[in-house]
Amino acid sequence: MPENNDQDIRIGVFICHCGSNIAGYLDMEALSDYAQTLPNVTFVQRNLYSCSEGGINEIKKGIKEQNLNRVVVASCTPRTHEPLFRSSCEEAGLNPYLFEMVNIRDQCSWVHMREQEDGTAKAKDLIRMGIAKAALLEPQESIMSEVCARALVIGGGIAGMTASTALARRGYEVVLVEKEENLGGMLNHLNKLGPTMTDAGDLMEEKIQEIVQHAKITVFTQSRVTAVQGFIGKFEADIETQSGVKKIDIGVILMATGGRAFVPEGLYGYDGQRVITQLEMEQLLKNGLNSDIKNVVMIQCVGSRNQERPYCSRICCQIAVKNAILIKDQIPDATISILYRDMQMYGVENEEMFRDSKAKGVRYIHYDPARSPQTESDQVRVYHSLLGREMALPADLVVLSTPIVAPEDADVTSQLLRVPVDENGFFLEGHVKLKPLDFATDGVFLCGSARFPANIREVIAQGLGAASRASIPMSKGSVVVEPIISVLADEDACRGCGLCVALCPYGALEIRHTEKGRKVHVIDVACKGCGVCAATCYQHALTINSYTDQQLEAQIDAFLIED
Amino acid sequence: MCTGRIDPAMVARAFQKRLDGLMVVGCYFGDCHYISGNVQAKAKIDTTRKLFKHIGVNEERLAFRQCSSGEASVFVKLVTEFDEKIRSLGPLGGDGDRVKAPEIFGKLEAAEAVLAGEKIRWVMGKRTPFLETGNIYGEIFTEHEFNRAMDMIIVEEIEVQEILAKLKEGARSVKDLAGDLAIPSERVFRYITALKRKGMVALDNVADRSPIFQLVPQEV
Amino acid sequence: MDDKTVLIVGGGLDGVRTALEQVETGAQVTIVEKFPTLGAERIPRDRLIRPEQAFINPDLEKVRDHNNIRILTYSDIKKINRDNGKLRVRILKHSLRVDNSKCNDCKACIQVCPVNMFDDFDEGLGFRTAVDFCNLATGGYNIYKEDMPVCQETCPVNLDIRAYVGLIADGKHLESLAKIRERLPLPGSIGRICPHPCETACNRQYLDEPISICFLKRFVSDVELSQEIEPVYETPEHKYPEKIAIVGAGPAGLTCAHDLARLGYEHIKIFESLPVPGGYLWVGIPEYRLPKKLLQREVDLICNMGVEIQYNTRIGKDVAFENLTNDYDALFIGIGCHMGLKLRVPGEDDYEGIVDCVTFLREQALGNLPKAKGKLIVIGGGNAAIDSARVGWRMGFDKVYILYRRTKKEMPANSWEIDAAEHEGVILQYLAAPVEILGENGKVTGMKCIKMELGEPDDSGRRRPVPIEGSEYIIDAETIVPAISQGTDLRFLDEGHDFDLSRWNTFLIDEETGATNIPGVFAGGDVVTGPDIAIRAIAGGKRAAVGIHEYLRSK
Ligand SMILES: Cc1cc2nc3c(=O)[nH]c(=O)nc-3n(C[C@H](O)[C@H](O)[C@H](O)COP(=O)(O)OP(=O)(O)OC[C@H]3O[C@@H](n4cnc5c(N)ncnc54)[C@H](O)[C@@H]3O)c2cc1C
Ligand SMILES: Cc1cc2nc3c(=O)[nH]c(=O)nc-3n(C[C@H](O)[C@H](O)[C@H](O)COP(=O)(O)OP(=O)(O)OC[C@H]3O[C@@H](n4cnc5c(N)ncnc54)[C@H](O)[C@@H]3O)c2cc1C
Ligand code: SF4
Ligand code: SF4
């Protein structure tokens, strides 16, 4: 490999103007002159935009014509541009990991807009550091790993069922695990679904039929996933079923464990009889209402948007409005008052349903949480914050709108799959905007109320979305992993003590018995290259590709050179 | 790469090479892009700070802070404050530090050896397992206990490194070492016996009824 | 002499040589050595790195390889009994904690071990790390692990005090409570009333004062209360079918039930003669020291595990003892000491108005006593006496006296309790003893007392009080409560029962298992120890639970 010949390191430095983003504030000529003077640098060029087609061509040309074996680009952020420059190097025949990027824009030219001299000095430091590291870079090969074309779906609510059928229709095998006796989740307990007033039972039955009949879907009810090992493409799950524990190989995992309706024990005189929840209301409506009921009061935000549960569960307002309409349908002369803090009725159809309810005579009364309503034996007293006085509303039935909360065992599931939950116990996606249905852990996806309270329509959309995300690695059949990972650089030094194994956040390390005794083994595809292990090993046996001790020390030394 | 990659030995090495301040900024706990790398980073920086304090380097020179990638203003505040702090401390080994230059660089050399050494890395690495899952007997350590053990180890390790550094200059008796390093002689004796067992020092000769110890060269 | 067996204590050079001599005579030889290696032949410290150079005594190898010599290293002699002209020796062999067959002698462990300690092998002159190396021929690597800190060792149930106190220091209050509950199901109650022998042992007292080990239990359980957390005592999924009866719902019985439920027993029934649980915790210790509501909550937690308590059922009266032995697979007796002892002075049985402290406190706790009038004399110097006096004071007696034979210094009651009683207005008369109960019309009117002085120390080491002749005096009183210790009430047993009892009428049990001499019947608490403290009763309940489990599982 000529490019790794230490005797002849030829570094090309490309300094980008980024239009005027960099050139407007730093002394570019001083930078390129300075770069010329640094060790191993054989070629320096400035570009208006290194990432433009022209800029890229210059880099490729430089590599070929100047016979460069390391490339440093001093420009913007590696977060967006590193992959681009890497692939440019590769296209020009240079191993993409012999590339180093220096950011002289975000925390340099942008920050020091008014201090050209200092800013330029800082850019020099940064470039010098990058070059020092680049000299020690080594070529790396990408890592490929096969993906098993079977998905595990945890939770058989509408989210899990939707995702399962979507995956099965694409031809992937699906294992659906549900802890209860029946599929359907929350739908089992619902009456009609707003805003379309579809029958919940019908929707559920339709889905269940498709699932049961689909040859590619295996359903385990009254079952639980008790252990998950492995990594994207090669997970192994233990499923505790009615007929014993089954071990199943899978490639991807979808989490659809939903939520449960909060039970307002001790709030507003809740007794399940006269003071009930919306969930219990659904059942009453299903059975047909007792026609004695003339006065109904609903109270919103019960147990939510308070200190303990600061979030808004989003869908309880829709549910209340829906049920108010359905009560009116059964008992047209019933008086219904909804006591609310804010009405959360997003979406065109919901707005329409809201207007519809008002037209049917449902009353809306705003209350202030500081003076929350009082339920008494036959009435509800509330301080009407718009009228500025207290009112007594007769009530045969009080319905409390309670939030959806995370399942009790969310923390167990979270540990099982090594995925995070937020402070309310809902699962946390990889990135709010960039990865809304993926977890940070590769190969694990998320949909439905497990992520946050959502209505059926959103849940179905998420189920389809997660299925689509999950099928990407399965359809490719393999995953490529960046080789910037941990390596056992000094096998003899490793004592196989397992100190590092216990700390790896991804379970990417294991102890194996080798001819040389117990040694650590890095599971390439699982490792994310965080570097915890390398910073921990007391034998200095492990290191991280492209972030070795030597490379980092060279960078630090370059920074601390006294000039 | 995560803040968890930061090797404390590298930190001591940088200060030894005239770094005046280092701020490590990681994600919030529970929010770490690498799940728990920041927890390890914090633990390592905390230990290094303790060590710094012990050897007379102002531990304010080393900081672990947290902010998220969306919090530009927090980041600016952190950097500005830290910058002001380091400016007020002045160059390493000056008025801001208990031990002055050039002596401080010798201390930092010992600190690097400690942080690259087996014992402290081992104990740092065991922190999470000890606090969370317990030792092999299932005994969970409290943070309190752990820190107490760690404080002790820091003192021991740095003193051992100082003794080794002194012996590198030439063979010495326990009494001489105690005088040179201002460490109580019973502690020096204790370290010497431990080092003797590990084969790192050996008896050189007995002068005037005082045993003189010398360094045993180690194969690498 | 073919069946001669010889035990040699000490495996030093002499021990090794003697072993070889004895084995020559045809004896079976066992060597017991407290260190992990024989022959005082630990490799000299400074040669540790190159053990192959170490001098090895050739005798050692002979001993090691001899068929008729058994070597027990790292072992302690626990007990020696004479048995039919032979000696039976109980030996505890410690674990080396290192699997030397897998060790490849790399010494990495010694390099990283953070624990430096004095080495008792050379009488503390040198140092070792917790993991250490001995002569490979007869020892190898071993880890010294401290058994228990003094506090934990002193605690009758060996609570992991260091952990739970440390967790509090870390601010992890609920974790601390969980830690306590691993061994103690009544933390809130014990945290209020335990005389805390652990604090007496605490090393911190040599610096300033002991850690408040006891009240910290109360603290964490109060934290739980204040956060309105309803804990659940878990029981395992797998269940055992055997039926177990427990007599007495005192701390011993409750704990035994709790531990058994936690092992997976589903059919546990406690028979209790009173209408309330807790034994003396309810009917002895007054409300102001231990609120009943709190005790009830902790009892409920145990009942929620599936333990049933049948109240108002006195064994021997409402249910015959044989019924229990017939109907149940195992039986635990934890009936405490509920018989007040008599003063043995004239007039004691002649007048109304003299109640022993057991009855007095019980009836008061059950709400059966009317509001009190007149003067009250309590006789005795223990906690029961102080409790009776303080309870009496609260009931409305005009004047309350405590009469004690010795001085305040000798009083067995907790000093803070004595101070509190004095502070409240109870009159303590030291160095005084009852001589005769006086009365009129069948009712007590007062008591004749005599002054005492302290003479020579007796068996208990306390100076024996002797009456001062001619120093008699009279105290007027309408009520007299003797609180001079309690005895067991074993009337539920048949005349011809086969139980081994002590001369104090307490059950004699196996120290390891709590088993009485009758198979399947176990006992613990005050009924074994005589009047003692609650935490020791709990320890008795725990021990019996393990004993019952082993008994049932090996049946
Ligand atoms: C009272 C009420 C009325 C509603 N009305 C409407 C409406 O009118 N219109 C509308 O659009 N939406 C409505 N919703 C919302 C709707 O019910 C939810 O959006 C939807 O059911 C969420 O589906 P899901 O699959 O995400 O979760 P769920 O339906 O909660 O299903 C999750 C499933 O996962 C299972 N599970 C959980 N943990 C595990 C585990 N560890 N292992 C295996 N299985 C597990 C559960 O048993 C359950 O079957 C209402 C909700 C409530 C509470
Ligand atoms: C006044 C007083 C104050 C005390 N203060 C303290 C203190 O502050 N701290 C401390 O640690 N200890 C104190 N003790 C001691 C402590 O209460 C006892 O050591 C402890 O309660 C003994 O527990 P036990 O389970 O062995 O018996 P007990 O608590 O006596 O319980 C035995 C139970 O068995 C029942 N019973 C008896 N016979 C039968 C039968 N035949 N059939 C059915 N049920 C039966 C009894 O009614 C009773 O409920 C005090 C004791 C007294 C008397
Ligand atoms: S790499 Fe280091 S920490 Fe990991 S097992 Fe090997 S010696 Fe132990
Ligand atoms: S670099 Fe991070 S993810 Fe990779 S093996 Fe080491 S600790 Fe695990």
Side-chain angles (χ1 to χ4, degrees), chain C residues 239-477:
Chain C
K239 299 288 184 198
Y240 298 117
E242 287 89 351
K243 288 168 72 187
I244 301 161
I246 291 175
V247 189
L254 287 170
T255 306
C256 185
H258 165 269
D259 283 16
L260 286 167
R262 205 164 60 180
L263 284 166
Y265 291 90
E266 303 187 89
H267 307 292
I268 305 171
K269 188 159 179 182
I270 307 184
F271 294 91
E272 169 58 58
S273 63
L274 297 172
V276 294
Y280 272 148
L281 299 192
W282 192 296
V283 298
I285 296 173
E287 171 85 19
Y288 63 85
R289 286 214 280 138
L290 173 56
K292 312 271 185 260
K293 214 173 88 194
L294 224 134
L295 174 61
Q296 183 71 57
R297 173 175 180 265
E298 295 195 323
V299 173
D300 287 346
L301 289 176
I302 297 174
C303 292
N304 291 345
M305 300 172 88
V307 172
E308 188 191 341
I309 306 183
Q310 183 173 327
Y311 291 106
N312 300 311
T313 309
R314 172 169 287 276
I315 299 303
K317 185 164 147 254
D318 304 311
V319 172
F321 185 64
E322 295 81 76
N323 287 1
L324 298 188
T325 41
N326 294 339
D327 294 353
Y328 289 85
D329 298 293
L331 187 58
F332 174 75
I333 303 177
I335 58 166
C337 287
H338 283 258
M339 213 141 67
L341 297 188
K342 297 225 159 180
L343 285 173
R344 297 170 204 243
V345 295
E348 187 172 10
D349 297 324
D350 303 342
Y351 307 110
E352 189 183 314
I354 170 151
V355 217
D356 69 83
C357 79
V358 175
T359 315
F360 179 74
L361 288 171
R362 181 182 64 228
E363 295 306 309
Q364 195 278 333
L366 296 176
N368 296 340
L369 292 188
K371 198 163 163 58
K373 289 198 300 287
K375 302 197 187 75
L376 165 73
I377 305 177
V378 177
I379 302 148
N383 280 323
I386 305 273
D387 282 343
S388 302
R390 294 183 70 190
V391 161
W393 185 247
R394 283 168 175 70
M395 284 165 67
F397 283 101
D398 302 330
K399 254 190 181 164
V400 178
Y401 298 89
I402 292 179
L403 226 64
Y404 179 53
R405 295 189 290 168
R406 297 183 168 98
T407 68
K408 184 166 173 179
K409 217 175 86 210
E410 284 86 20
M411 247 177 140
N414 299 327
S415 60
W416 58 91
E417 286 287 324
I418 307 174
D419 292 343
E422 269 183 327
H423 187 76
E424 284 172 6
V426 172
I427 303 160
L428 281 108
Q429 293 200 348
Y430 302 106
L431 291 168
V435 179
E436 187 185 347
I437 308 289
L438 310 173
E440 262 170 40
N441 304 329
K443 291 206 167 148
V444 170
T445 59
M447 186 166 80
K448 188 194 260 177
C449 314
I450 188 163
K451 295 222 166 111
M452 315 286 272
E453 63 186 354
L454 292 182
E456 292 301 303
D458 64 6
D459 296 350
S460 71
R462 295 183 298 180
R463 290 170 69 193
R464 190 194 302 274
V466 277
I468 304 173
E469 225 154 291
S471 68
E472 286 90 348
Y473 66 102
I474 290 175
I475 311 177
D476 294 340

Side-chain angles (χ1 to χ4, degrees), chain A residues 176 178-183 219-223 241-242:
Chain A
L176 175 57
E178 166 59 52
K179 69 174 172 189
E180 302 293 337
E181 203 177 332
N182 296 317
L183 292 176
V219 182
F220 294 111
T221 48
Q222 283 174 285
S223 303
T241 70
Q242 289 298 89

Side-chain angles (χ1 to χ4, degrees), chain A residues 485-486 503-506 508-509 522 526-534 544:
Chain A
I485 54 161
S486 177
L503 293 187
C504 173
Y506 297 94
L509 297 170
V522 183
C527 172
K528 296 274 181 198
C530 69
V532 165
C533 54
I544 306 295

Side-chain angles (χ1 to χ4, degrees), chain A residues 488 490-491 493-501 509-511 518-521 533 536-542, chain B residues 122:
Chain A
L488 183 55
D490 188 346
E491 192 180 4
C494 175
R495 284 171 175 166
C497 66
L499 189 67
C500 52
V501 176
L509 297 170
E510 62 188 20
I511 297 292
R518 282 161 57 92
K519 297 287 167 190
V520 77
H521 171 82
C533 54
T536 298
C537 176
Y538 60 104
Q539 287 290 89
H540 308 271
L542 290 164
Chain B
W122 171 264

Side-chain angles (χ1 to χ4, degrees), chain B:
Chain B
M1 193 183 91
C2 170
T3 47
R5 169 71 181 98
I6 296 171
D7 190 322
M10 246 179 240
V11 173
R13 184 173 175 280
F15 276 93
Q16 200 192 321
K17 299 204 163 185
R18 312 298 190 265
L19 186 68
D20 293 316
L22 171 65
M23 176 166 65
V24 177
V25 185
C27 314
Y28 290 112
F29 293 137
D31 226 14
C32 176
H33 186 65
Y34 292 95
I35 302 179
S36 58
N38 54 355
V39 178
Q40 304 306 330
K42 166 96 170 31
K44 289 184 168 114
I45 296 297
D46 280 353
T47 307
T48 313
R49 276 169 58 95
K50 278 187 187 165
L51 186 66
F52 276 14
K53 186 170 175 187
H54 181 75
I55 62 171
V57 175
N58 192 321
E59 77 270 23
E60 301 284 337
R61 294 188 181 278
L62 179 56
F64 181 82
R65 295 286 135 79
Q66 291 169 298
C67 89
S68 91
S69 59
E71 295 180 325
S73 59
V74 176
F75 181 73
V76 169
K77 188 164 158 272
L78 291 178
V79 173
T80 315
E81 278 173 10
F82 191 69
D83 180 65
E84 278 162 15
K85 177 89 227 170
I86 299 302
R87 278 179 207 285
S88 75
L89 290 178
L92 183 62
D95 292 343
D97 302 280
R98 188 161 49 75
V99 174
K100 310 293 173 213
E103 199 195 329
I104 200 167
F105 299 112
K107 294 267 185 191
L108 278 161
E109 195 178 332
E112 186 193 341
V114 169
L115 291 167
E118 299 186 326
K119 188 176 285 188
I120 217 162
R121 289 174 85 90
W122 171 264
V123 179
M124 272 192 292
K126 275 288 174 194
R127 184 176 185 278
T128 305
F130 274 6
L131 295 190
E132 282 169 13
T133 44
N135 64 10
I136 187 108
Y137 308 108
E139 297 163 334
I140 295 197
F141 284 65
T142 59
E143 207 149 334
H144 214 71
E145 279 174 299
F146 187 86
N147 289 343
R148 204 169 49 192
M150 189 51 132
D151 292 349
M152 217 175 65
I153 292 166
I154 285 175
V155 176
E156 280 177 6
E157 284 288 289
I158 197 83
E159 289 178 349
V160 165
Q161 287 305 332
E162 283 179 328
I163 288 175
L164 290 175
K166 260 282 164 277
L167 289 178
K168 219 185 251 172
E169 294 168 14
R172 273 176 174 71
S173 70
V174 168
K175 231 185 308 169
D176 294 342
L177 285 167
D180 288 351
L181 297 169
I183 304 173
S185 54
E186 64 270 21
R187 278 228 296 272
V188 176
F189 171 66
R190 183 171 167 169
Y191 298 139
I192 290 286
T193 38
L195 288 168
K196 232 175 112 206
R197 301 182 40 206
K198 291 184 187 167
M200 295 170 79
V201 304
L203 191 67
D204 184 34
N205 62 70
V206 178
D208 192 16
R209 278 183 279 157
S210 261
I212 308 287
F213 296 96
Q214 64 170 356
L215 213 57
V216 177
Q218 303 292 306
E219 48 198 285
V220 194

